Amino acid sequence: MKAIVVTDQAAGTAGMKLVERPEPLPAINDVVIRVHAAGFVATELAWPSTWTDRLGLDRTPSIPGHELAGVVTALGYGTTGLSVGQRVFGLTDWYRDGTLAEYAAVEARNLAPLPGDVDFTVGASLPVSGLTAWQGLFDHGRLQAGQSVLVHGAAGAVGSMVTQLAREVGAYVIGTGRAADRQTVLDFGAREFVDLENDVLEDVCSVHLVFDVIGGDIGKRSAGLIRAGGTLVSIVGPPEARPSEGRSIDFVVESDRAQLSEIVQRVRDGRLRTNIGKVSTLEAAVATFNSTERRKGKTIIRPRP
């Protein structure tokens, strides 16, 4: 099969190569998926799990990408809940070969059924962005109706999901980004927009929850915006500053079949829109990831038309 592999961490995306690899075999409780669409997170080439196994041993050449949508072609011993020929989507294990390939072996528990009326490209755009938004808002942020949320990077793949899910439960959403992102953020459901290059972030009234996808100085300044009892949620590592009368948490997204099903149902009934940017073939993936153009939305790779 064709697959993208990486072997040199220092080279970044420039070190990606399209090669021929053996098709994977399913382990216990695995399924093999014929990948129709795959997602890639730009920062994953900095993750230790891309380069080493859980014992810290080198596992290169490794296949990156951890989101996929496709069709089950084989079942491993003991696998239940899925069947050959079924359309699925989900999030793969960080320490195993990923989804930028024609086939991928995935633990069945990490996958959910993909309804027939949802395109594979849409399905592959949901796992990281959708689960990150869901878990950050509800599992860790404990968001409730009537509360206020400040969403950094609200025009991005994760931020746009956070904005929509928060708005759906009755929260007041303030989105941030560049000036050019204003209308996009408002279209996704934010009630207000803060231009991080020209507006004063501290002018934002205190909020119940900050969802931080940026970190650095913006993350530190955001801690001062949390009202008593509120939460600073970060997906870019431990916050450098903590709210004086609230709490802070950073987390790594986990696969969850029930949550994936909730997310895709919202897509089906129009409550949730995906934020897809560039869609590329596997053959053009290396050039796509090394483009100098600013990425807007989720980049999706289609190993098959």
Side-chain angles (χ1 to χ4, degrees):
M1 70 172 185
K2 294 178 180 177
I4 300 293
V5 299
V6 291
T7 57
D8 182 358
Q9 186 171 2
T13 54
M16 288 179 158
K17 296 180 181 178
L18 181 64
V19 301
E20 287 287 336
R21 288 282 294 269
E23 291 184 17
L25 298 174
I28 295 174
N29 296 323
D30 272 358
V31 295
V32 172
I33 305 297
R34 180 186 298 116
V35 181
H36 284 256
F40 173 77
V41 179
T43 57
E44 68 183 72
L45 296 188
W47 301 346
S49 56
T50 299
W51 309 100
T52 62
D53 62 19
R54 285 185 167 84
L55 297 176
L57 302 176
D58 178 60
R59 71 176 191 88
T60 59
S62 59
I63 301 173
H66 293 284
E67 298 168 279
L68 86 168
V71 176
V72 177
T73 61
L75 306 178
Y77 179 80
T79 299
T80 60
L82 298 175
S83 57
V84 172
Q86 187 172 8
R87 302 171 91 249
V88 293
F89 75 118
L91 183 64
T92 69
D93 189 279
W94 310 123
Y95 289 90
R96 298 180 64 177
D97 277 341
T99 61
L100 297 185
E102 293 181 307
Y103 292 88
V106 186
E107 285 185 84
R109 65 188 180 95
N110 290 337
L111 300 167
L114 181 68
D117 57 355
V118 178
D119 184 79
F120 287 117
T121 298
V122 172
S125 74
L126 295 173
V128 166
S129 300
L131 289 172
T132 298
W134 189 283
Q135 292 166 18
L137 287 173
F138 308 127
D139 295 347
H140 303 296
R142 305 171 188 169
L143 182 67
Q144 298 178 11
Q147 294 185 331
S148 53
V149 184
L150 179 67
V151 183
H152 287 310
V158 173
S160 59
M161 289 283 185
V162 175
T163 298
Q164 293 176 86
L165 289 174
R167 181 68 182 274
E168 184 195 5
V169 299
Y172 186 95
V173 182
I174 305 167
T176 79
R178 302 182 183 186
D181 296 330
R182 178 182 298 275
Q183 194 56 52
T184 298
V185 171
L186 296 176
D187 288 345
F188 275 115
R191 300 287 294 276
E192 297 181 37
F193 177 79
V194 177
D195 175 358
L196 291 177
E197 297 173 320
N198 300 296
D199 296 334
V200 178
L201 180 61
E202 287 74 12
D203 285 346
V204 173
C205 295
S206 60
V207 295
H208 295 92
L209 189 151
V210 170
F211 201 115
D212 183 23
V213 304
I214 298 176
D217 181 61
I218 294 296
K220 288 192 291 185
R221 292 162 61 194
S222 296
L225 304 177
I226 303 292
R227 64 173 59 190
T231 307
L232 171 60
V233 174
S234 170
I235 63 169
V236 289
E240 296 181 45
R242 298 179 180 276
S244 59
E245 297 183 79
R247 65 190 186 100
S248 61
I249 185 169
D250 66 288
F251 74 100
V252 176
V253 63
E254 299 179 353
S255 191
D256 186 297
R257 180 178 291 178
Q259 291 175 0
L260 285 170
S261 296
E262 289 279 0
I263 290 164
V264 78
Q265 182 58 44
R266 283 163 170 75
V267 172
R268 296 181 74 195
D269 61 26
R271 286 179 287 164
L272 189 64
R273 290 190 291 124
T274 57
N275 189 359
I276 298 172
K278 179 80 171 180
V279 179
S280 176
T281 64
L282 193 61
E283 288 77 8
V286 173
T288 297
F289 293 132
N290 284 282
S291 172
T292 57
E293 297 179 3
R294 182 192 173 203
R295 293 194 184 112
K296 295 182 179 180
K298 186 75 181 179
T299 300
I300 298 295
I301 302 303
R302 295 273 316 212
R304 287 174 177 77

